[in-house]
Amino acid sequence: VQLVESGGGLVQAGGSLRLSCAASGLNFDDYAMGWFRQASGKEREAVSCTRGGLGTTYYADSVKGRFTFSRDDAKNTVYLQMNNVNLEDTAVYYCTTGPLWALRGSDCSNYFKFVDYWGKGTLVTVSS
């Protein structure tokens, strides 16, 4: 399984950025997908996770209303649209995949425990 993120870079506060993650080596429809981030000196944080299709998409409170997680099953690709970014969004963003059954509860915390694969990450830097 390979997850390759792209789309990171430098963006001004208030701006937008779209991250992409191309997945290969797995049956895309059979897995949950998620985005995590880790800022320098901080613990890794779940940003969003979803089972796709008509399933629920979960978002961290810190990004609700600003970030949108989408997936294109035909392309085996997921996206994280980041709007109205702020300085606290500066981090390395990781694409992940894990079992569908791990999506439980009202957030991504359970999914986080059972992630099977991680991408290498893409750096997002927000400037003031």
Side-chain angles (χ1 to χ4, degrees):
V1 174
Q2 189 174 21
L3 303 173
V4 179
E5 303 98 335
S6 61
L10 180 64
V11 58
Q12 280 194 324
S16 297
L17 206 62
R18 189 177 81 157
L19 306 183
S20 300
C21 172
S24 60
L26 75 165
N27 188 344
F28 198 62
D29 294 343
D30 293 341
Y31 286 84
M33 302 290 293
W35 287 95
F36 291 84
R37 68 185 181 184
Q38 187 164 22
S40 179
K42 294 186 178 181
E43 291 187 356
R44 197 167 289 180
E45 174 190 21
V47 176
S48 182
C49 56
T50 183
R51 62 172 59 243
L54 298 178
T56 301
T57 300
Y58 301 95
Y59 296 94
D61 288 342
S62 57
V63 307
K64 276 180 184 176
R66 301 187 299 118
F67 290 11
T68 302
F69 190 163
S70 62
R71 53 191 285 168
D72 185 336
D73 290 353
K75 295 183 178 179
N76 275 22
T77 300
V78 296
Y79 306 94
L80 185 68
Q81 177 67 42
M82 306 168 61
N83 295 331
N84 193 24
V85 298
N86 57 53
L87 296 177
E88 288 70 38
D89 295 322
T90 295
V92 177
Y93 285 73
Y94 298 91
C95 178
T96 66
T97 184
L100 289 172
W101 55 259
L103 289 174
R104 295 178 181 176
S106 59
D107 56 30
C108 299
S109 57
N110 194 68
Y111 170 78
F112 196 177
K113 300 175 186 176
F114 297 101
V115 166
D116 292 322
Y117 299 99
W118 294 77
K120 292 184 178 180
T122 185
L123 176 63
V124 173
T125 303
V126 181
S127 64
S128 58

